[in-house]
């Protein structure tokens, strides 16, 4: 084959590997007579040791390696016109991240030299193999390995960009560059199974090889070698350069322009900071698998049964006593399912709405669709439409559903099968639930219930012996203790951890507990069970009694070690939710030292208390995967039984203001200066919201009857801030469920409906109605709030002004009431100028509402002038052009210019808004901007055909992502039909 231009092949190795992995490939390539005259082979090597012995040299993260690759291509291959990238294992993630980062900053044209990208054994959905590696290599803290954890955020972000702008790219531009991509897996690869290696990439295949032999071809007839040679031939025949920067008339070959590029907007903007909808779904807490193997043949058989083909297309409810190991069994199912290539979603009940929203996004639902579904209350139907249409095998797991009705519809029963819990219509799907509720009637006749009983004495003894490392005594002694604790895994685990901690401690303890025998005597001495009640036939109360005895022994031993703070700290954690607790956020600069529960507490004593809780097995510590912020990644959990038991502790019941008050203050301190409306702070709020909801409800709506009014006031403030976060992220249902009962029942916890603390919640109630487009309800609520706040706080108070603005918006959006709204808005702007200042963000938000009102009243020139002034102030204050409110101001300006017949000027404004929009391309804002762009084109003579093409593309995209009755789709479709009727011919 005659080739004029050389092709440069770059080989990128994988994790904990080196360029040596390419030795066989390199030898075959460089001695291949067909390639010798036109192929140059380059080995890109980066540092990736398994463990570093020198802490002053950190292991490079994947983004760093991606940047190194970019530097390599820019320097070593500066003159190359054709480049082929071939990768092994994590090398594929490096290249994906490199491509995505280039596209995010508008450097897509620089990628036009890359003519082909082939991946071998790349963990495109994360590699489960590395989850087990951590169980035997405790010191491993390699940041590159974290990229291999399932659905890691960075991997997901890059993968979405590569799929949309590279694999499916149609145009050569700043943020789009079509490159052929192939993904291959090895049929015998148990590290990265073929289904994982193929991932979401449509082209590639499976070859006969394992994880390592896939890049070690024996000869040139091997399938991997043939795949690379084919890629080189394809690259040799491709155009040497990408498209020119000019028009198609400039003489160069140009790919067809996409609707996005024609509109002057980026096809794929970089992910917005803190954008929850772009975050990958968090994996199950696999770190807790390090606690040991699943015990019990019946349990192992149940796991195998739940993973079988026969178990699919069903709802399976794993029932049993608290502490019987239901969650551990479900985690075993999740781990094995993920290793087999199934998609797994693990849903903790305190985070139900947020997690289901993330599932919708994970299954590809566009932002505009998700937002609308959560707004209209059709979220359950949306998620199940997506699940039933998912082509991949999947498992959905609801954990600790002890209040089953939360999984049902708002106006029905969970057994109806019309809520979050439904029987899959998809043959690929399986649903698991763990719950203490064993009634078939509750779950519905179609649900399969699997009761998990206590462990037999042999399995219980095995668990005790393994967890103590053989320090507790003989097999027979372990069997006796297992019988005494009823074979309850939670009690056995705590007992083993106490015995091990005592034996590992060099401190003299005022206790004779040393082994199974002495521990059994301590248990018997606490509360003697009725004759015949001990043993495997446990009841709920007896099971809880066993756990309570063991935990009591552990806390007594901690006190005898001089770590008395540990028990109090554990009880404070129990005042929070059963969701994972980001303890570093709560304990860092926390109000512990001001609490009477912790006199003289120091950071060192706090650390010792935490260490004691872990040593004695009272809490589990693990690191959440895919969480970038370290303080949010490190969490602890309490078992639900321990959590409930400690809430009933006499000390907590006698001093609720001290315990619950401290929990409230810890969450408030952690969120101090973290505006819940700001996307950058949403990851923190997402982690703390379950705890804020739980502790505020407990203080105000529970049975505590707190006498301390300060704690109740702080709980109200925490509830208000949490409601703001929920509203900002579109979780209007949970926000309403939080706010309404507190407003309605405020008298029960000592507050009047017009007290300023309750007015804050009523303001949020009005916002919820406004966001739901319930304008009459919003006006009614906000009118009363404004009256009360004006009377109590004054007309020019900042809170009063905020409520007045929301009220003006509710009025302005009702047809025919714009003049009324304008008068209100002008007075609010005047007051904001005085209170907050002319250039304060809140002042400009009100001015924008005023500009929109002016335009609605037909005063287009005034609206234009107001919008320009807002934009000038935003530039002077260096606000990012992607700020949502600033983007909306530019949309208003576009309409004001268009209303005055200045369509050419309007085109420039809306093009810039589309270019700067940081929202996802399928978001409501971007879709709306595209419709505005169509209106602008229609205002320019000779551009009607272009407008029709843009509108046709918009209608097609909207039809794909929203329901037929969506207002924007109805509007766009009607306009398109009108234009098509009016077009000649």
């Amino acid at each position: 084959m005659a080739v004029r231009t050389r092709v440069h092949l770059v080989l990128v190795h994988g994790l904990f590997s080196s360029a040596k992995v390419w030795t066989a490939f390199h030898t075959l390539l460089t001695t291949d007579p067909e390639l010798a005259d036109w192929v140059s082979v380059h080995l890109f090597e980066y540092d990736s040791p398994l463990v570093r012995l020198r802490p002053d040299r950190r292991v490079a993260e994947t983004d760093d390696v991606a940047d190194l690759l970019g530097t390599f291509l820019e320097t070593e291959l500066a003159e190359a016109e054709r480049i082929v990238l071939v990768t092994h294992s994590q090398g594929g993630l490096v290249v994906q991240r490199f491509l995505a980062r280039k596209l995010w900053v508008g450097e897509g044209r620089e990628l036009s030299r890359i003519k082909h990208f082939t991946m071998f054994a790349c963990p495109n959905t994360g590699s489960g193999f590395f989850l087990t590696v951590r169980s035997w290599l405790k010191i491993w803290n390699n940041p590159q390995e974290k990229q291999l954890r399932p659905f890691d955020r960075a991997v997901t972000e890059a993968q979405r960009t590569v799929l949309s702008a590279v694999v499916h790219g149609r145009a050569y531009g700043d943020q789009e560059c079509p490159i052929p991509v192939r993904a291959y897996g090895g049929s015998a690869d148990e590290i990265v199974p073929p289904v994982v290696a193929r991932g979401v990439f449509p082209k590639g295949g499976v070859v006969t090889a394992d994880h390592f032999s896939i890049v070690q071809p024996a000869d040139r007839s091997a399938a991997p070698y043939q795949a690379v040679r084919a890629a080189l031939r394809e690259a040799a025949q491709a155009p040497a350069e990408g498209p020119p920067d000019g028009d198609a008339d400039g003489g160069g070959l140009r790919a067809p322009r996409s609707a996005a590029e024609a509109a002057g907007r980026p096809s794929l903007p970089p992910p917005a900071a803190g954008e929850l909808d772009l975050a990958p779904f968090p994996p199950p807490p696999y770190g807790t698998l390090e606690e040991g193997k699943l015990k019990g043949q019946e349990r192992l058989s149940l796991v195998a049964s739940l993973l079988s083909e026969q178990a699919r297309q069903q709802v399976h409810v794993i029932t049993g006593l608290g502490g019987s190991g239901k969650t551990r069994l479900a985690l075993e199912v999740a781990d094995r399912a993920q290793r087999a290539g199934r998609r797994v979603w693990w849903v903790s009940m305190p985070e139900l709405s947020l997690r289901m929203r993330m599932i919708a996004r994970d299954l590809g639902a566009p932002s505009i669709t998700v937002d609308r579904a959560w707004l209209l209350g059709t979220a359950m139907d949306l998620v199940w439409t997506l699940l039933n249409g998912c082509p991949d095998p999947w498992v959905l797991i609801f954990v600790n559903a002890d209040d089953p009705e939360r999984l049902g519809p708002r106006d029905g029963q969970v057994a109806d099968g019309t809520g979050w819990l439904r029987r899959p219509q998809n043959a690929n799907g399986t649903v698991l639930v763990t719950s203490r509720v064993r009634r078939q009637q509750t779950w519905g006749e179609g649900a399969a219930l699997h009761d998990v009983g206590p462990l037999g004495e042999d399995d219980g003894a095995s668990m005790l012996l393994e967890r103590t490392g053989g320090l507790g005594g003989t097999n027979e002694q372990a069997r006796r203790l297992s019988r005494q604790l009823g074979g309850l895994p939670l009690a056995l685990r705590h007992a083993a951890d106490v015995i091990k901690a005592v034996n590992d401690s060099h401190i003299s303890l005022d206790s004779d507990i040393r082994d199974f025998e002495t521990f059994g005597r301590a248990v018997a001495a606490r509360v003697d069970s009725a004759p015949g009640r001990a043993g495997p036939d446990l009841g709920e109360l007896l099971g809880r009694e066993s756990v309570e005895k063991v935990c009591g022994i552990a806390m007594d031993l901690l006190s005898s070690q001089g770590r008395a703070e540990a028990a109090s700290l554990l009880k404070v954690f129990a005042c929070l939710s059963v969701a994972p607790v980001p303890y570093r956020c709560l304990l860092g600069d926390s109000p512990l030292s001001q609490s009477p529960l912790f006199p003289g507490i120091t950071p060192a004593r706090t650390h010792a208390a935490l260490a004691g809780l872990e040593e004695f097995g009272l809490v589990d510590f693990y690191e959440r995967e895919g969480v970038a912020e370290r303080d949010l990644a490190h969490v602890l959990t309490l078992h639900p039984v321990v959590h409930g038991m400690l809430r009933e502790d006499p000390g907590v019941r006698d001093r609720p203001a001290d315990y619950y008050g401290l929990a409230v203050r810890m969450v408030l301190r952690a969120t101090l200066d973290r505006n819940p409306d700001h996307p950058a702070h949403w990851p923190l709020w997402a982690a703390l919201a379950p705890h804020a909801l739980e502790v505020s409800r407990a203080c105000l709506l529970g049975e505590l009857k707190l006498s301390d009014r300060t704690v109740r006031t702080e709980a109200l403030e925490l509830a208000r801030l949490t409601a703001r976060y929920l509203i900002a992220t579109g979780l209007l249902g949970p926000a309403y469920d939080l706010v309404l009962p507190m407003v309605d029942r405020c008298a029960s916890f000592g507050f009047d409906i017009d007290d300023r603390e309750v007015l804050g919640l009523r303001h949020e109630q009005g916002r919820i109605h406004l966001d739901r487009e319930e304008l009459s309800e919003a006006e009614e609520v906000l009118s009363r709030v404004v009256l009360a706040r004006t009377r109590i706080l004054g007309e020019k108070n900042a809170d009063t002004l905020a409520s007045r603005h929301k009220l003006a918006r509710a009025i302005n959006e009702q047809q025919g009431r714009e003049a009324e709204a304008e008068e209100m808005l002008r007075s609010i702007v005047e007051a904001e100028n005085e209170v907050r200042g002319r250039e304060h963000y809140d002042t400009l938000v009100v001015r924008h509402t005023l500009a929109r009102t002016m335009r609605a009243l037909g005063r287009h020139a005034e609206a234009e002038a107001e919008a320009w002034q807002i934009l000038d102030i935003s530039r002077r204050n260096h606000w990012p052009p992607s700020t949502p409110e600033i983007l909306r101001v530019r949309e208003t300006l576009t309409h004001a210019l268009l209303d005055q017949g200045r369509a050419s000027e309007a085109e420039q404004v809306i093009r810039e808004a589309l270019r700067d929009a940081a929202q996802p391309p399928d978001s409501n804002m971007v879709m709306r901007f595209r419709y505005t762009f169509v209106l602008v084109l229609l205002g320019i003579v000779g551009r009607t055909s272009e407008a029709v093409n843009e509108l046709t593309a918009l209608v097609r995209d909207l039809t794909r992502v929203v329901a037929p009755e969506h207002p924007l789709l109805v509007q766009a479709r009607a306009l398109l039909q009108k234009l098509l009727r009016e077009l000649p011919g």
Side-chain angles (χ1 to χ4, degrees), residues 175 260-261 264-270 911 913-917 921 926:
Q175 283 153 328
E261 189 178 353
R265 65 179 175 84
S267 298
L268 282 160
R911 280 187 181 275
L914 281 162
R915 179 196 66 202
D916 294 335
V926 173

Side-chain angles (χ1 to χ4, degrees), residues 772-791:
R772 283 178 166 173
E773 302 172 9
E774 299 165 349
L775 302 180
S776 298
E777 292 88 342
E779 181 182 358
E780 180 182 356
V781 171
L782 290 167
S783 294
R784 294 176 179 176
V785 172
V786 168
L787 285 174
R789 278 185 160 175
T790 301
R791 185 180 69 253

Side-chain angles (χ1 to χ4, degrees), residues 855-888:
R855 177 178 170 260
L857 291 168
R859 301 208 301 275
H860 308 306
E862 293 180 54
E864 178 198 350
E866 192 74 23
W868 279 123
Q869 289 179 36
I870 295 171
L871 292 175
D872 287 343
I873 292 172
S874 73
R875 282 189 286 267
R876 189 159 60 245
N877 286 280
H878 306 292
W879 295 344
S882 60
T883 303
E885 188 65 26
I886 299 307
L887 290 169
R888 286 190 281 266

Side-chain angles (χ1 to χ4, degrees), residues 688-705:
L688 291 176
H691 305 292
L693 288 166
E694 178 67 28
V695 73
S696 60
R697 282 175 172 148
C699 289
L700 301 173
L701 303 177
E703 300 176 355
L704 297 176
K705 306 301 180 186

